Amino acid sequence: MTSLLSERVARMKGYVPGEQPRAGTLLKLNTNENPYPPSPRVLRAVGEAASRDLRLYPSARADELREAAAQCYGCRPEQVLAANGSDEILALCLRACVSEGDVVAFPRPTYSLYPTLAEAAGASIVEVPALPGEIPAGLLEAGAAVTFLCSPNSPSGASLQLQEISRFAQAAGGLVVVDEAYVDFASHSALEILDRHSNLLVSRSFSKSFSMAGVRLGLGFAAPDLIEGLNRVKDSYNVSRLAAAAGVAALADYRWMRDSAAKVCATRDRTISRLRQAGWQAADSDANFFWLDCGGEGGLSVYRRLRDGGVLVRYFNTEELRGGVRVSVGTDEQMERFLAVLGV
């Protein structure tokens, strides 16, 4: 079977997602899902959409969703791309802007899907070590066709400063993608500087703050000519009728999302404070997760200890990250269970 694959794909390892247990009593704090439900308007909208016209294709560009997003975020519909999750937006950026052998660059550590997408596109990968909240100087020297900046970053939870993003985009020769999957748990967004840079694209997700990970829906914001180029290479009908209806309803009840995100942030900060009081090193975070330094015990040992106690967190077996674990923020009750298993 491998002989049917291209040489590039045959040697790829592929992206490894967080464990998704099928059943049981495991508390899932490993994939950054929102512990609270989406707006009731979303559930009603999906039900109504499912009861009519499923035999028909959806809008090719999800026009109603794009118009709702433009009104919500203060831009024009032609600056908005709707996609099957924000991961599709990242892939479309490479499909549209990268030729084989071009450089794709990003700080390290960061979202582990970036190298998989870059390798699939036949790109040369440049990863530049970076401290949390930093755009490393060497990143600009890569001369990348596409640079990914995740803010807030995973797994650190640290945000990039807007002036640093702006300075980088101004100097970069290629496309700069700011991946804001977790931005609703933070204090600022690169959408504020979008109109200053024609080479800047901001990617958003409905999975985290809107509690719609099962829907698979994302938005990209950029200059109209860039959005038009991405539309040329996307799938014909990449956003289903159900997903588009859910997105419109979620944006119409934006307050529900803000309230949900505020609850998550309050629980996050309380949990981090409790951990620090107990002597653990938990990093500040602008996301719906935080990084827990496991000290001499090591990340794998803590991961196993928590899993044996029924709590699933994310362990990354890489040189930079194997000393800790990433912990998604659940409800207050769920985090109490996490702390109890940890012995706090």
Side-chain angles (χ1 to χ4, degrees), residues 96-275:
C97 301
V98 172
S99 299
E100 187 154 351
D102 283 350
V103 171
V104 171
F106 40 87
R108 189 185 75 225
T110 191
Y111 184 24
S112 56
L113 181 64
Y114 299 154
T116 300
L117 294 176
E119 191 173 3
S124 297
I125 300 172
V126 174
E127 302 177 73
V128 183
L131 296 173
E134 172 192 66
I135 301 178
L139 198 61
L140 193 60
E141 299 169 5
V146 175
T147 301
F148 289 120
L149 300 174
C150 188
S151 181
N153 190 33
S154 178
S156 71
S159 295
L160 299 173
Q161 296 301 310
L162 294 184
Q163 62 182 9
E164 294 301 317
I165 296 173
S166 185
R167 187 177 297 116
F168 184 89
Q170 183 68 35
L175 174 64
V176 178
V177 179
V178 182
D179 182 352
E180 292 192 339
Y182 305 101
V183 76
D184 290 319
F185 305 99
S187 61
H188 58 265
S189 165
L191 288 178
E192 298 173 37
I193 60 171
L194 183 67
D195 288 337
R196 301 182 199 173
H197 306 286
S198 61
N199 64 332
L200 182 65
L201 181 140
V202 178
S203 175
R204 291 289 193 92
S205 173
F206 283 83
S207 296
K208 316 301 183 184
S209 57
F210 285 97
S211 306
M212 290 164 51
V215 173
R216 308 308 302 135
L217 188 63
L219 296 172
F221 300 85
D225 58 344
L226 177 56
I227 294 297
E228 180 57 35
L230 297 176
N231 273 313
R232 294 174 197 162
V233 298
K234 76 173 183 65
D235 292 343
S236 303
Y237 304 97
N238 62 326
V239 176
S240 73
R241 283 182 174 271
L242 301 184
V248 171
L251 293 174
D253 199 2
Y254 198 78
R255 178 63 181 271
W256 179 279
M257 181 276 288
R258 295 306 311 157
D259 290 345
S260 175
K263 287 191 289 187
V264 170
C265 290
T267 301
R268 175 196 68 197
D269 295 343
R270 282 194 296 269
T271 303
I272 290 174
S273 178
R274 288 271 301 278
L275 287 164

Side-chain angles (χ1 to χ4, degrees), residues 112 154-155 291 314-319 321-326:
S112 56
S154 178
W291 180 254
R314 190 73 188 269
Y315 169 70
F316 300 90
N317 188 23
T318 65
E319 182 178 354
L321 300 176
R322 60 174 61 107
V325 293
R326 191 191 68 191

Side-chain angles (χ1 to χ4, degrees), residues 67-104:
E67 290 164 5
Q71 182 174 6
C72 182
Y73 293 108
C75 61
R76 291 170 287 158
E78 56 266 32
Q79 291 179 285
V80 183
L81 172 72
N84 179 24
S86 61
D87 286 348
E88 186 190 24
I89 294 170
L90 309 180
L92 289 175
C93 288
L94 299 185
R95 190 184 299 176
C97 301
V98 172
S99 299
E100 187 154 351
D102 283 350
V103 171
V104 171

Side-chain angles (χ1 to χ4, degrees), residues 1-23:
M1 178 62 72
T2 55
S3 64
L4 299 177
L5 303 175
S6 70
E7 181 180 347
R8 180 172 69 252
V9 173
R11 65 171 181 260
M12 285 178 58
K13 293 182 178 180
Y15 174 69
V16 180
E19 181 181 352
Q20 295 282 355
R22 291 189 176 184

Side-chain angles (χ1 to χ4, degrees), residues 294 297-306 315-317 321-325:
C294 298
E297 184 174 355
L300 182 58
S301 176
V302 171
Y303 163 80
R304 287 173 173 167
R305 179 151 63 95
L306 286 166
Y315 169 70
F316 300 90
N317 188 23
L321 300 176
R322 60 174 61 107
V325 293

